[in-house]
Amino acid sequence: PPSEGVTGPQWIERLENQDKQLSDDAKAVLNSKDFKPTAPGFVHRIVALKATFWKRDSDRTTKVIQAEGVLRKWLELHPEAVCIIRECFSDKQLEKMGIFWIAGIHKPIGVCGRPHFLGAFRRDGGGWLSADWASPGGGWDDDGAFAWSLP
């Protein structure tokens, strides 16, 4: 669906009203001055790559993942798109895709001086919006996917 121009604080309220859980770091990202909504009506064209694309754990680092997006000429995802992903995809749908999470590869947003990406997660307690440390050398598990914008 197209963007509705929802601000970060509005996303917090909106997702919580849908019984989604938000980590403290995700709330910090959404409340950051660096989180800005896109214009109402903007359509996010999203592409995702499963983490299993990288066979070795040592290859599944933020730096390598970002480089793969550049190689494919994909663009950084707008952080708002991760909120839309969390709203639109149920945990059952994520499970059918064989993934536990989708991390948005966007310009990292600082939380306590550390860069973070937003991610949509499924857990036993229900759907989550979380934020994970986007350190260039940081490793990622193989049970999720990474999302970018198509040009």
Short mmCIF file of all heavy atoms in Angstrom, two decimals, residues 23-46:
data_model
loop_
_atom_site.label_atom_id
_atom_site.label_comp_id
_atom_site.label_asym_id
_atom_site.label_seq_id
_atom_site.Cartn_x
_atom_site.Cartn_y
_atom_site.Cartn_z
N SER A 23 10.26 -2.91 20.17
CA SER A 23 11.40 -2.87 21.08
C SER A 23 11.70 -1.42 21.45
O SER A 23 11.32 -0.49 20.74
CB SER A 23 12.63 -3.52 20.44
OG SER A 23 13.15 -2.69 19.42
N ASP A 24 12.41 -1.24 22.55
CA ASP A 24 12.80 0.12 22.96
C ASP A 24 13.65 0.78 21.89
O ASP A 24 13.50 1.97 21.62
CB ASP A 24 13.56 0.08 24.29
CG ASP A 24 12.66 -0.27 25.47
OD1 ASP A 24 11.41 -0.13 25.34
OD2 ASP A 24 13.19 -0.68 26.52
N ASP A 25 14.54 -0.01 21.25
CA ASP A 25 15.38 0.55 20.19
C ASP A 25 14.55 0.96 18.98
O ASP A 25 14.82 1.98 18.35
CB ASP A 25 16.48 -0.43 19.77
CG ASP A 25 17.59 -0.53 20.80
OD1 ASP A 25 17.68 0.35 21.69
OD2 ASP A 25 18.39 -1.49 20.71
N ALA A 26 13.53 0.18 18.64
CA ALA A 26 12.65 0.55 17.52
C ALA A 26 11.92 1.86 17.84
O ALA A 26 11.81 2.74 16.98
CB ALA A 26 11.65 -0.56 17.22
N LYS A 27 11.45 2.00 19.06
CA LYS A 27 10.79 3.24 19.46
C LYS A 27 11.76 4.42 19.37
O LYS A 27 11.38 5.51 18.93
CB LYS A 27 10.21 3.12 20.87
CG LYS A 27 8.98 2.23 20.94
CD LYS A 27 8.46 2.14 22.36
CE LYS A 27 7.25 1.24 22.44
NZ LYS A 27 6.73 1.13 23.81
N ALA A 28 13.02 4.19 19.77
CA ALA A 28 14.02 5.26 19.70
C ALA A 28 14.26 5.66 18.24
O ALA A 28 14.39 6.84 17.93
CB ALA A 28 15.32 4.80 20.36
N VAL A 29 14.31 4.68 17.33
CA VAL A 29 14.47 4.99 15.90
C VAL A 29 13.28 5.79 15.40
O VAL A 29 13.43 6.81 14.73
CB VAL A 29 14.67 3.70 15.08
CG1 VAL A 29 14.50 3.97 13.59
CG2 VAL A 29 16.03 3.08 15.36
N LEU A 30 12.07 5.35 15.74
CA LEU A 30 10.87 6.03 15.26
C LEU A 30 10.73 7.43 15.86
O LEU A 30 10.16 8.32 15.21
CB LEU A 30 9.63 5.19 15.56
CG LEU A 30 9.54 3.87 14.80
CD1 LEU A 30 8.37 3.04 15.31
CD2 LEU A 30 9.43 4.11 13.31
N ASN A 31 11.24 7.64 17.05
CA ASN A 31 11.19 8.96 17.69
C ASN A 31 12.37 9.85 17.31
O ASN A 31 12.41 11.02 17.69
CB ASN A 31 11.11 8.82 19.21
CG ASN A 31 9.73 8.43 19.68
OD1 ASN A 31 8.74 8.97 19.20
ND2 ASN A 31 9.66 7.50 20.62
N SER A 32 13.31 9.30 16.56
CA SER A 32 14.50 10.05 16.17
C SER A 32 14.15 11.16 15.19
O SER A 32 13.25 11.01 14.35
CB SER A 32 15.50 9.10 15.52
OG SER A 32 16.52 9.82 14.87
N LYS A 33 14.91 12.25 15.24
CA LYS A 33 14.73 13.32 14.25
C LYS A 33 15.11 12.84 12.86
O LYS A 33 14.72 13.45 11.86
CB LYS A 33 15.55 14.54 14.65
CG LYS A 33 17.05 14.32 14.66
CD LYS A 33 17.81 15.56 15.00
CE LYS A 33 19.30 15.35 15.11
NZ LYS A 33 19.92 14.61 14.05
N ASP A 34 15.85 11.74 12.77
CA ASP A 34 16.27 11.19 11.47
C ASP A 34 15.18 10.35 10.79
O ASP A 34 15.33 9.99 9.63
CB ASP A 34 17.54 10.35 11.63
CG ASP A 34 18.72 11.19 12.04
OD1 ASP A 34 18.81 12.36 11.60
OD2 ASP A 34 19.57 10.69 12.82
N PHE A 35 14.12 10.02 11.52
CA PHE A 35 13.01 9.28 10.92
C PHE A 35 12.01 10.29 10.38
O PHE A 35 11.41 11.05 11.12
CB PHE A 35 12.31 8.36 11.92
CG PHE A 35 11.21 7.55 11.30
CD1 PHE A 35 11.47 6.30 10.77
CD2 PHE A 35 9.92 8.05 11.20
CE1 PHE A 35 10.45 5.55 10.18
CE2 PHE A 35 8.90 7.32 10.61
CZ PHE A 35 9.17 6.06 10.09
N LYS A 36 11.85 10.27 9.07
CA LYS A 36 10.90 11.18 8.42
C LYS A 36 10.00 10.38 7.51
O LYS A 36 10.48 9.53 6.73
CB LYS A 36 11.66 12.24 7.61
CG LYS A 36 12.51 13.15 8.48
CD LYS A 36 13.26 14.17 7.68
CE LYS A 36 14.07 15.14 8.48
NZ LYS A 36 14.66 14.78 9.69
N PRO A 37 8.70 10.60 7.56
CA PRO A 37 7.80 9.85 6.68
C PRO A 37 7.96 10.31 5.23
O PRO A 37 8.43 11.41 4.95
CB PRO A 37 6.41 10.21 7.21
CG PRO A 37 6.58 11.53 7.87
CD PRO A 37 7.98 11.55 8.41
N THR A 38 7.58 9.43 4.33
CA THR A 38 7.53 9.82 2.92
C THR A 38 6.20 10.52 2.68
O THR A 38 5.29 10.49 3.52
CB THR A 38 7.65 8.59 2.00
OG1 THR A 38 6.67 7.64 2.35
CG2 THR A 38 9.04 7.97 2.10
N ALA A 39 6.08 11.14 1.54
CA ALA A 39 4.85 11.88 1.20
C ALA A 39 3.68 10.91 1.07
O ALA A 39 3.84 9.79 0.59
CB ALA A 39 5.05 12.64 -0.10
N PRO A 40 2.50 11.33 1.50
CA PRO A 40 1.31 10.49 1.32
C PRO A 40 1.16 10.11 -0.15
O PRO A 40 1.36 10.91 -1.05
CB PRO A 40 0.16 11.38 1.78
CG PRO A 40 0.80 12.34 2.74
CD PRO A 40 2.18 12.59 2.19
N GLY A 41 0.86 8.83 -0.37
CA GLY A 41 0.68 8.32 -1.73
C GLY A 41 1.93 7.71 -2.33
O GLY A 41 1.87 7.05 -3.36
N PHE A 42 3.10 7.93 -1.68
CA PHE A 42 4.34 7.34 -2.18
C PHE A 42 4.26 5.82 -2.07
O PHE A 42 3.87 5.29 -1.05
CB PHE A 42 5.55 7.86 -1.39
CG PHE A 42 6.86 7.31 -1.87
CD1 PHE A 42 7.52 7.91 -2.92
CD2 PHE A 42 7.42 6.18 -1.28
CE1 PHE A 42 8.73 7.41 -3.38
CE2 PHE A 42 8.62 5.67 -1.72
CZ PHE A 42 9.28 6.29 -2.78
N VAL A 43 4.62 5.13 -3.15
CA VAL A 43 4.59 3.67 -3.15
C VAL A 43 6.02 3.15 -3.03
O VAL A 43 6.88 3.47 -3.85
CB VAL A 43 3.93 3.12 -4.44
CG1 VAL A 43 3.99 1.60 -4.47
CG2 VAL A 43 2.48 3.60 -4.52
N HIS A 44 6.26 2.36 -2.01
CA HIS A 44 7.56 1.73 -1.80
C HIS A 44 7.62 0.45 -2.64
O HIS A 44 6.80 -0.44 -2.49
CB HIS A 44 7.76 1.36 -0.32
CG HIS A 44 7.78 2.55 0.59
ND1 HIS A 44 8.92 3.28 0.81
CD2 HIS A 44 6.80 3.12 1.32
CE1 HIS A 44 8.65 4.26 1.65
NE2 HIS A 44 7.37 4.19 1.98
N ARG A 45 8.59 0.39 -3.53
CA ARG A 45 8.82 -0.82 -4.35
C ARG A 45 9.95 -1.58 -3.68
O ARG A 45 11.09 -1.14 -3.70
CB ARG A 45 9.16 -0.42 -5.77
CG ARG A 45 7.99 0.30 -6.46
CD ARG A 45 8.31 0.71 -7.89
NE ARG A 45 8.72 -0.44 -8.68
CZ ARG A 45 9.78 -0.44 -9.49
NH1 ARG A 45 10.52 0.63 -9.64
NH2 ARG A 45 10.08 -1.52 -10.17
N ILE A 46 9.61 -2.70 -3.08
CA ILE A 46 10.53 -3.41 -2.20
C ILE A 46 10.97 -4.73 -2.83
O ILE A 46 10.17 -5.45 -3.44
CB ILE A 46 9.85 -3.69 -0.84
CG1 ILE A 46 9.45 -2.36 -0.18
CG2 ILE A 46 10.74 -4.51 0.07
CD1 ILE A 46 8.54 -2.51 1.01
#
